[in-house]
Amino acid sequence: MKLDRKTWQLIATAALFLLATVLCIAAWAVANAPQAGPDQLKATDWMQAWGSIAGVAAGLAAAVAATALLMHERRAAEEARRQLADANRAQEESRARSVATAGLDYPRGSLVENIDRSVVKLSKVALHVHNFGPDPIHSIVVTVTLPGGQTAEHNGTEMIGPKDHQSVVITVEPPHLCTGDNPDFEIKMCHVTVSFTDSSGIRWNRTNNGAPERETRPLVTLRDMIEFG
């Protein structure tokens, strides 16, 4: 068993306290022992006294050792729980990273132009949501944030199976006014966030295929809405 620094400090402090206590008892006994007469301490008395002190010392040492062992086991259990939690978080995040978006573009017929084509508006965007993981994902919500802060959201996908993908077309309402006669700039400046629930029931948000973020707010299910109205 390998003890940490704090445990060794505790053992050393207890040992020094025990030694000081023994020395104090011995000094007191010598100072108050009669020097002559029938009450003078004999060798057997000293042996009995030191035996009692040794017994007390052994008991205290056993108590210190038991305390040190308990502290060590408690720290080891806490470290094991921490490592298990870290491993679970890493596994969950790895599962969330398997969901990605790709191919953001504007489909045919998604542009609204005036007669002289001086004003172009984007009315739809399209993309693919891929699930490269071994488990299905549920309640997929895709949100596209256009330049200027306008958002368009798609809520139509209940499930994407493992190793599968889903094509998504999102309506932009009202149509987004483009900066030129080609919406390529707007497409490049868009931010895409996909929200989904994994097979463990954890809700995730992932923007532009970056690091997934775990959603902490509780999900409201249809049963909750019926029960609490």
Side-chain angles (χ1 to χ4, degrees):
M1 180 183 66
K2 185 178 180 181
L3 303 180
D4 57 18
R5 183 178 179 180
K6 289 184 177 180
T7 304
W8 280 115
Q9 288 177 345
L10 176 63
I11 294 175
T13 301
L16 291 174
F17 175 77
L18 178 61
L19 178 61
T21 302
V22 171
L23 293 177
C24 288
I25 294 173
W28 178 85
V30 171
N32 291 276
Q35 302 299 320
D39 294 331
Q40 183 180 4
L41 293 177
K42 300 178 183 179
T44 54
D45 297 328
W46 282 106
M47 293 176 62
Q48 183 177 1
W50 281 108
S52 300
I53 293 174
V56 173
L60 290 174
V64 171
T67 302
L69 179 61
L70 178 62
M71 292 177 63
H72 173 75
E73 290 180 346
R74 181 173 298 176
R75 290 195 184 97
E78 291 176 353
E79 178 65 18
R81 285 194 294 269
R82 185 189 64 79
Q83 292 180 357
L84 179 60
D86 291 344
N88 289 337
R89 280 194 295 269
Q91 184 179 9
E92 292 168 356
E93 185 169 325
S94 175
R95 191 162 52 229
R97 285 182 181 275
S98 65
V99 179
T101 58
L104 179 65
D105 205 348
Y106 51 96
R108 183 183 300 273
S110 62
L111 302 182
V112 179
E113 303 174 344
N114 65 352
I115 298 176
D116 59 1
R117 295 189 177 182
S118 60
V119 176
V120 177
K121 294 182 179 180
L122 184 64
S123 63
K124 292 181 182 179
V125 291
L127 66 151
H128 302 285
V129 181
H130 295 268
N131 177 20
F132 297 104
D135 301 304
I137 58 174
H138 307 272
S139 303
I140 301 95
V141 177
V142 181
T143 304
V144 176
T145 303
L146 296 135
Q150 182 182 357
T151 60
E153 189 173 276
H154 174 76
N155 297 327
T157 305
E158 287 298 324
M159 185 188 74
I160 299 178
K163 311 297 182 182
D164 199 359
H165 73 279
Q166 179 75 42
S167 298
V168 174
V169 178
I170 304 175
T171 299
V172 180
E173 184 61 41
H176 173 74
L177 178 62
C178 299
T179 56
D181 59 359
N182 192 315
D184 288 340
F185 173 78
E186 274 70 21
I187 292 298
K188 292 178 181 178
M189 296 297 292
C190 285
H191 295 281
V192 180
T193 299
V194 56
S195 302
F196 60 94
T197 302
D198 67 14
S199 58
S200 299
I202 301 173
R203 189 73 181 171
W204 296 92
N205 297 320
R206 194 177 186 199
T207 300
N208 294 343
N209 294 332
E213 296 181 358
R214 185 168 178 169
E215 191 169 303
T216 56
R217 63 181 180 179
L219 294 177
V220 179
T221 64
L222 180 59
R223 181 178 178 181
D224 295 332
M225 291 187 289
I226 295 175
E227 290 181 352
F228 300 103

